[in-house]
Amino acid sequence: MQKQSVTVIAPAKLNLSLDVRGLLPNGYHDLDMVMQAITLREQLTLRRSANLTVRMPGSSVPVNDKNTAVKAALAFFHYTGLLAGVDITIRKTTPVRAGMGGGSADAAGVLVGLDELYDARLSMSELCALGAGIGADVPFALMGGTCRVQGVGDLMKALPPCPPCWFVVVMPSVGVSTPEAFARYDTMGSPVHPDCQAQEDAIRAGDLKALCAAAGNALEHCSGAEETPAICALLNANGALTSQMTGSGAAVFGVFEEEAQARAACDALQKQYDKVYLAQPDHGGARVIYSRPVKPRTR
């Protein structure tokens, strides 16, 4: 049955570990990461339309040809050859310039939503190939769950679910530019190179403490995010098993074994920071949660 509109949720992500292994022949950084989707999610509503329009109520993200949602819609229509349009409304919850993949989640949500809205029936491989042309984290935003991700984000291996835990995520007052963070890494290097294989092994064993012991982010020391050490210290003082920056920053998260301790830490951090989020591991990626069929015409 033809659909009039669909609603999609698209999880944000955290980097449980992030290592930079060098440069690839194409000049991009060769990464090794364990990525985790979380229950902080963008929500998108896509409606059939003759035109392409994107709205992000209450968000400061510009809606132009550089917007990942716009790019995703254009890529989908170009690939499928559909002469159609869509009206997209995105309710953003993920902070911007945070290293949490909010823009990638938006793109993934648009691809999944359009596939459902127009019954295109693209495979996950096709969706990921389209996503990779939009941004390095879009394929993971489509896959979700827990993944070992390497290369420029194009090599993904699904892992068993992360051991049950809680995340307290803190966004500092200033965001980080990803290109600038990598440029500083090229100049400064990093004293931190996490053992991503040890973390994968810990996930396979269901060992949260070993997962945390293997955590780390090679970009943390060169991100330029000045508030990171203080936020990590606060999270650790409030019971986090480990704390670190995610992605290229600037968001920082702590891992907690118990819900009560995580909620108490969340309350403590909210006294000093405006944007503090409580989340859990999400076992999926961008997905449709509701679709509304076209009403039949009455004579």
Side-chain angles (χ1 to χ4, degrees), residues 164-183:
C165 61
W166 291 79
F167 302 112
V168 176
V169 187
V170 184
M171 179 64 190
S173 56
V174 180
V176 167
S177 160
T178 298
E180 290 176 9
F182 277 103

Side-chain angles (χ1 to χ4, degrees), residues 154-167:
D154 54 330
L155 305 174
M156 289 190 297
K157 175 171 61 176
L159 300 180
C162 172
C165 61
W166 291 79
F167 302 112

Side-chain angles (χ1 to χ4, degrees), residues 6-297:
V6 298
T7 301
V8 179
I9 55 171
K13 62 87 175 172
L14 296 174
N15 290 88
L16 301 180
S17 57
L18 188 159
D19 193 17
V20 183
R21 301 187 297 188
L23 289 175
L24 295 165
N26 60 9
Y28 287 97
H29 291 84
D30 183 17
L31 304 177
D32 192 2
M33 306 177 283
V34 175
M35 296 173 71
Q36 176 63 53
I38 62 172
T39 53
L40 182 66
R41 303 162 175 148
E42 311 280 67
Q43 181 165 308
L44 303 84
T45 301
L46 296 85
R47 298 177 179 84
R48 284 178 178 258
S49 172
N51 304 304
L52 170 58
T53 54
V54 178
R55 288 187 289 268
M56 295 183 169
S59 173
S60 61
V61 176
V63 179
N64 53 32
D65 59 0
K66 294 183 179 179
N67 186 287
T68 55
V70 174
K71 287 182 176 181
L74 292 173
F76 175 87
F77 288 127
H78 177 76
Y79 180 76
T80 59
L82 283 168
L83 299 177
V86 64
D87 178 75
I88 304 169
T89 301
I90 302 176
R91 305 287 177 182
K92 288 194 68 64
T93 56
T94 308
V96 179
R97 292 163 67 95
M100 297 178 67
S104 298
D106 294 339
V110 168
L111 291 173
V112 168
L114 284 171
D115 186 62
E116 175 80 9
L117 187 65
Y118 286 108
D119 199 26
R121 302 187 184 185
L122 301 184
S123 66
M124 178 58 76
S125 294
E126 288 176 296
L127 291 171
C128 284
L130 284 176
I134 300 162
D137 288 341
V138 180
F140 173 76
L142 287 158
M143 288 274 292
T146 312
C147 286
R148 179 86 174 266
V149 183
Q150 295 175 309
V152 293
D154 54 330
L155 305 174
M156 289 190 297
K157 175 171 61 176
L159 300 180
C162 172
C165 61
W166 291 79
F167 302 112
V168 176
V169 187
V170 184
M171 179 64 190
S173 56
V174 180
V176 167
S177 160
T178 298
E180 290 176 9
F182 277 103
R184 281 190 290 267
Y185 177 89
D186 290 339
T187 302
M188 301 169 58
S190 174
V192 174
H193 290 282
D195 189 338
C196 298
Q197 184 58 51
Q199 194 168 65
E200 177 182 332
D201 295 342
I203 290 167
R204 293 188 183 280
D207 188 335
L208 183 63
K209 288 186 170 63
L211 180 158
C212 291
N217 186 334
L219 295 178
E220 184 171 310
H221 294 268
C222 58
S223 70
E226 296 178 359
E227 296 165 271
T228 300
I231 296 173
C232 285
L234 274 172
L235 287 165
N236 295 341
N238 281 277
L241 296 174
T242 191
S243 60
Q244 66 186 44
M245 189 183 79
T246 180
S248 57
V252 177
F253 69 96
V255 183
F256 294 80
E257 197 165 14
E258 303 295 337
E259 178 182 359
Q261 199 168 31
R263 290 191 180 278
C266 199
D267 291 342
L269 272 293
Q270 282 175 337
K271 294 175 182 177
Q272 296 191 42
Y273 297 93
D274 293 333
K275 296 179 180 178
V276 181
Y277 309 88
L278 187 66
Q280 289 181 278
D282 191 312
H283 299 318
R287 54 201 183 265
V288 174
I289 58 169
Y290 174 77
S291 61
R292 183 163 68 91
V294 173
K295 291 182 180 179
R297 293 181 180 177

